[in-house]
Amino acid sequence: MTGESFPLALTYDDVLLVPLRSRVASRREVQTCARLTRTLQLNVPILSANMDTVTEARMARAMARAGGIGIIHRFMTILQEAEEVARVKRPEEAVARKLHTISPHRPLSDASALMGRHNVTSLLVVDRDDRLLGILTVRDLMFEEDMSLPVSARMTGGAQLVTAPVGTTLDQAREILHQHRLEKLPLVDADGRLRGLITARDVLRLTEHPQAVRDRQGRLLVGAAIGAVGDYLERAEALVAAGADLLVVDIAHGHAEHALRATERVKSRFPDTQLLAGNVATAAGVRDLVSAGADAVKVGVGPGAACSTRVVAGVGVPQLTAVLECAAAARELGVPIVADGGIRTSGDIVKALAAGADTVMIGSLLAGTEESPGATVTRRGARYKVYRGMASAGATEDRRRRENPEDVLDELAAAATPEGVEAVVPYRGTVAEVLNQLVGGLRSGMSYCDAYTLDELRANARFVRITEAGLRESRPHDIELMDED
Ligand code: XMP
């Protein structure tokens, strides 16, 4: 092997996108919808990283409301992780809310007392087998003189009762509620049994977060990480049961044979749940993970802000080249890729997507937000939040204390030679504010590249390589900044 035959690999700072003649008159005209996996779509092509200083339920909810998605980290017990998933899926949209029911034979006085006790304005009337017979509202009781009458005498039932099947989406419910001028829409199964309730308020909430990404029942989307050794199948089962829309097989070397085996096992056990697997940095890695069953592949070995893999192990591929290579392979297989790590600015997002990534995963930029679980610290009067690599000494030590070392022996060996660092990042406000900035930059980049959609961005993009001098020129220079972060 001679040095001259080594291929050159580039990263985001090595290139710029060339401005093109553009039809786009305003950034508002461009669409940022993206494919996350074979079947899942996002409105904003950003995932928050599955790290213990980045994503738990609060971050995941904020991400999904803004149109992206959060991946709950796996560095907690199975029960805790499943509970984090359930917290994201919990309504908000109250389809799965507690249903207040009453039997048709009870007197109206009981109904009134029940409404008072539970502070609700209606009761669903069901028979002994939970079959829905009618609905009784506060209005039906108003001015009623004979409160000893049975509920059946005043409820709305029979042909007047409007219901919808289980699985009705909030959009469909909006139509039905509007058409019949109703406030409540009970959901029933094929046997007429009561299974849920959608209210006008649930539907109105939809408009509060117009970009939010939701499942068919109107619940926010969420992903959750599992490992590739030990209890990962048990963990996957609990996460699927809790409602995870996406499982993420998360290991540093996703092209290891045990990672491929884990991907295969998870996919064959849970064929209906979308599976994102990684991390890899080569076309061969993408192909092997896709043949093992991945519905999307995560790309990035060592580019992350808190990573030291490249320094410690001497391994990695600069991220732009990794994305270019992996995207070409993934495109042939019809599977999207996630560019994971190394995103420091909105410009990096534009470059990653232009190079062929479908979405990007972000750690450090989101770790500084209000919604991240990292601790807040104050230094010289400024606010910071803790951010640490998941293979850092601290993170690994925490796991050693919590987990069964037999199961994760190899991963824990990292404690001796950490491949990540512990740090702090500046406090940056809320997720909504940070994403607003990032998406604003993305929209701007798209408008320079004559792209109304991310597909057009990928198709149109023309990169140039730049020099150190070009990079210096690209950043604010020869001035003194008034307000440095
Ligand atoms: P950013 O740059 O957004 O990167 O902070 C987030 C990604 O970094 C990866 N990650 C690690 N990589 N050692 C590594 O080599 C680590 O300890 C580590 N922890 C996180 C991960 O892919 C994440 O999404």
Side-chain angles (χ1 to χ4, degrees), residues 49-51 250 252 279 298 300-310 340-344 361-365 387-392 419-421:
N50 42 287
M51 300 171 72
D250 156 54
N279 280 16
K298 204 143 68 79
V301 176
C307 300
S308 54
T309 295
R310 293 181 188 170
D340 175 19
I343 299 287
R344 301 147 311 161
M361 177 174 264
I362 293 182
S364 68
L365 279 188
Y387 179 56
R388 64 180 186 184
M390 292 318 311
S392 63
E419 291 187 21
V421 299

Side-chain angles (χ1 to χ4, degrees), residues 405-427:
E406 296 287 294
D407 283 349
V408 281
L409 208 54
D410 195 42
E411 288 186 68
L412 290 181
T417 46
E419 291 187 21
V421 299
E422 293 165 79
V424 292
V425 290
Y427 176 78

